[in-house]
């Protein structure tokens, strides 16, 4: 694809992806425990200028898993009732690492403020409980699917580089993901 076509694609898709992210209140999490046993769950999230923030309890399986392994997959998905076809729901998935945010840090204050701004005072109450931890999710690469034959890979520091996946979409090889998590 030429640079001009790539730029037109970016100019069209990136605002659409941003709107899609802001229209969702929760994200789906695929975490794993220390033994590698997977778990699917969800969490409310907020976006800040530096990433996705979630506040989860250590008493929840995904809260324990995020402390045991910081590698995860995340999905934001269009509601079934909004979708033209349940077989081709819009979705944004990305591979990420979870960073436990230290209490009383500037990042903790920023993340809790972003969540409070979105979900109200309940966040302040949960953040004061010692079993709740704030995690910042750092995306590494992603995939935005608009429908059949419309999958776009996202890469770069803020998932701003777009590539149309004309040959289908597949996950990241495990070895490549491990290299990303250690860098």
């Amino acid at each position: 694809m030429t640079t001009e076509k790539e730029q037109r694609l970016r100019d069209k898709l990136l605002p659409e992806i941003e709107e899609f992210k802001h229209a969702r209140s929760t994200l789906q999490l695929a975490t794993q425990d220390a033994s590698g046993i997977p778990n699917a769950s969800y969490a409310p999230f907020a976006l800040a200028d530096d990433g996705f923030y979630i506040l989860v309890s250590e008493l929840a399986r995904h809260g324990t898993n995020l402390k045991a392994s910081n590698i995860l997959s995340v999905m934001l998905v269009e509601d079934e009732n909004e979708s033209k076809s349940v077989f081709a729901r819009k979705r944004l998935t990305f591979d990420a690492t979870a960073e436990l945010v230290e209490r009383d840090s500037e990042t903790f204050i920023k993340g809790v403020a972003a969540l409070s701004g979105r979900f109200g005072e309940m966040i302040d109450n949960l953040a004061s409980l010692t079993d709740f931890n704030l995690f910042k999710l750092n995306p590494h690469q992603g995939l935005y699917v608009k429908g059949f034959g419309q999958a776009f890979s996202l890469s770069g520091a803020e998932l701003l580089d777009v590539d149309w996946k004309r040959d289908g979409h597949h996950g990241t090889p495990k070895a490549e993901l491990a290299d990303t998590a250690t860098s």
Side-chain angles (χ1 to χ4, degrees):
M1 192 182 307
T2 66
T3 306
E4 186 178 313
K5 284 184 181 179
E6 289 172 347
Q7 187 59 46
R8 282 198 315 262
L9 181 61
R10 282 176 49 121
D11 290 348
K12 181 178 183 208
L13 274 181
L14 292 179
E16 180 179 325
I17 293 168
E18 285 303 306
E19 181 180 322
F20 182 78
K21 288 191 300 193
H22 288 282
R24 313 275 77 80
S25 297
T26 62
L27 45 77
Q28 314 305 305
L29 300 168
T31 61
Q32 60 184 350
D33 68 14
S35 300
I37 298 179
N39 174 245
S41 60
Y42 83 98
F45 76 96
L47 283 166
D49 59 352
D50 60 344
F52 294 80
Y53 286 92
I54 61 173
L55 186 65
V56 296
S57 172
E58 289 179 6
L59 303 177
R61 188 169 167 196
H62 58 264
T64 302
N65 288 355
L66 288 172
K67 288 184 104 176
S69 173
N70 70 341
I71 298 171
L72 73 153
S73 182
V74 176
M75 179 171 68
L76 288 79
V77 63
E78 179 180 41
D79 188 280
E80 291 176 9
N81 296 327
E82 298 171 8
S83 178
K84 293 177 185 172
S85 168
V86 294
F87 294 100
R89 290 163 64 189
K90 285 183 188 177
R91 59 200 175 272
L92 172 64
T93 59
F94 55 88
D95 299 328
T97 53
E99 175 186 334
L100 177 62
V101 178
E102 295 296 324
R103 289 184 179 273
D104 301 322
S105 68
E106 286 183 33
T107 306
F108 187 88
I109 294 166
K110 176 201 262 186
V112 169
L115 285 160
S116 292
R118 193 155 199 215
F119 300 108
E121 73 178 63
M122 181 178 192
I123 294 298
D124 296 323
N125 295 333
L126 294 175
S128 70
L129 300 174
T130 58
D131 66 299
F132 272 81
N133 293 299
L134 182 70
F135 288 92
K136 180 180 163 220
L137 307 182
N138 301 301
H140 298 294
Q141 63 181 19
L143 185 72
Y144 180 60
V145 178
K146 290 178 60 163
F148 292 116
Q150 298 180 68
F152 303 89
S153 64
L154 305 170
S155 58
E158 299 195 24
L159 301 182
L160 298 179
D161 297 327
V162 178
D163 180 36
W164 187 5
K165 303 290 285 182
R166 292 181 175 89
D167 57 350
H169 48 88
H170 304 280
T172 303
K174 198 169 195 171
E176 188 179 319
L177 183 59
D179 290 344
T180 304
T182 58
S183 55

